[in-house]
Amino acid sequence: MTMKHIFKKGEEGNSTTLLLLHGTGGDENDLLPLGDMIDPGASVLSVRGNVDENGMNRFFRRLAEGVFDEEDLIYRTKELRDFVDQAAKDYGFDRSQVVAVGYSNGANIAGSLLYHYGKVLQGSVLLHPMVPRRGIDVPDLKGVPVFIGAGVNDPICPAQETKDLEKDLTGAGANVEVFWANLGHQLTREEVENAAAWYKKQVKGE
Ligand code: MLT
């Protein structure tokens, strides 16, 4: 199934594509400024989640706040992976240089890509993510850079979720950096600035 999206071609010589994934109730416009802060010269593929929850866009269904519909999560994770594969062909970007930038529900589907498909992204910026699935072995992520932005008092993604996620990803070999803010679920400028600095170093090697 296709997904509503925005594709913006980056500058000549910049072969990264940022895969932007919004939070619950957002759309493909939401994270464009964030992509600009992380790498203004990168190509952008900003996608709208296909699930409609009472008029709010999401990337997969949930049974309750923080309780995911696993069957739908698995289906939607494949849907997103297939969509990115197809978009790389259609728009001619390098599939091996896709870096996910997701917030909240968007971070959770990005995390789910890692949990189900392993090295399917060059790197990931997960802003206020949860553990997408429990009780499965995370595939090999050796050397894959992952930035996690978290809030000490995040009521939607409790601190323990972040710690468990970091443990799972590190256990699979990913190179994880966690940025903690003394706040809740909201995105902060400081967090995005830290993600941008991490990206320059860990993804671009500058
Ligand atoms: C989710 O459902 O993905 C998380 O609870 C975050 C959110 O509220 O979107």
Side-chain angles (χ1 to χ4, degrees):
M1 197 204 254
T2 189
M3 301 184 81
K4 283 217 170 85
H5 65 279
I6 294 169
F7 179 76
K8 211 177 71 182
K9 185 152 175 37
E11 282 167 6
E12 211 50 57
N14 188 334
S15 43
T16 304
T17 297
L18 299 178
L19 172 65
L20 304 182
L21 303 163
H22 63 77
T24 297
D27 68 25
E28 64 278 21
N29 294 294
D30 284 17
L31 297 193
L32 295 176
L34 214 138
D36 252 359
M37 281 175 73
I38 291 175
D39 185 351
S43 294
V44 165
L45 179 66
S46 191
V47 184
R48 180 188 296 193
N50 264 342
V51 167
D52 178 337
E53 183 189 89
N54 304 320
M56 294 188 299
N57 300 314
R58 282 179 57 84
F59 285 96
F60 56 89
R61 291 202 182 93
R62 60 180 162 183
L63 305 173
E65 169 96 39
V67 184
F68 302 158
D69 178 334
E70 278 200 356
E71 200 183 313
D72 192 59
L73 175 66
I74 292 166
Y75 174 79
R76 298 290 172 189
T77 303
K78 181 176 185 305
E79 174 184 58
L80 180 61
R81 187 205 58 174
D82 292 350
F83 173 73
V84 175
D85 289 352
Q86 188 57 46
K89 290 183 193 134
D90 293 348
Y91 294 116
F93 61 79
D94 184 344
R95 179 64 187 85
S96 71
Q97 294 195 51
V98 175
V99 176
V101 179
Y103 170 60
S104 192
N105 183 242
N108 291 339
I109 192 94
S112 182
L113 282 170
L114 303 178
Y115 272 57
H116 292 105
Y117 296 110
K119 295 183 172 181
V120 75
L121 297 162
Q122 189 194 0
S124 296
V125 174
L126 308 179
L127 303 170
H128 301 264
M130 295 172 65
V131 175
R133 275 195 75 186
R134 301 268 176 184
I136 62 167
D137 287 333
V138 182
D140 178 33
L141 289 170
K142 194 163 187 302
V144 175
V146 179
F147 177 93
I148 299 177
V152 174
N153 299 308
D154 189 331
I156 296 170
C157 309
Q160 191 58 45
E161 285 279 326
T162 305
K163 290 178 190 154
D164 292 350
L165 181 64
E166 180 185 14
K167 192 161 166 253
D168 280 358
L169 294 174
T170 305
N175 176 6
V176 184
E177 184 171 314
V178 183
F179 173 81
W180 288 97
N182 224 346
L183 290 163
H185 197 58
Q186 69 267 44
L187 268 177
T188 65
R189 172 168 285 272
E190 204 196 350
E191 176 179 355
V192 180
E193 282 168 359
N194 272 271
W198 167 91
Y199 169 89
K200 268 204 183 73
K201 205 163 142 219
Q202 298 293 338
V203 176
K204 302 301 253 189
E206 289 170 10

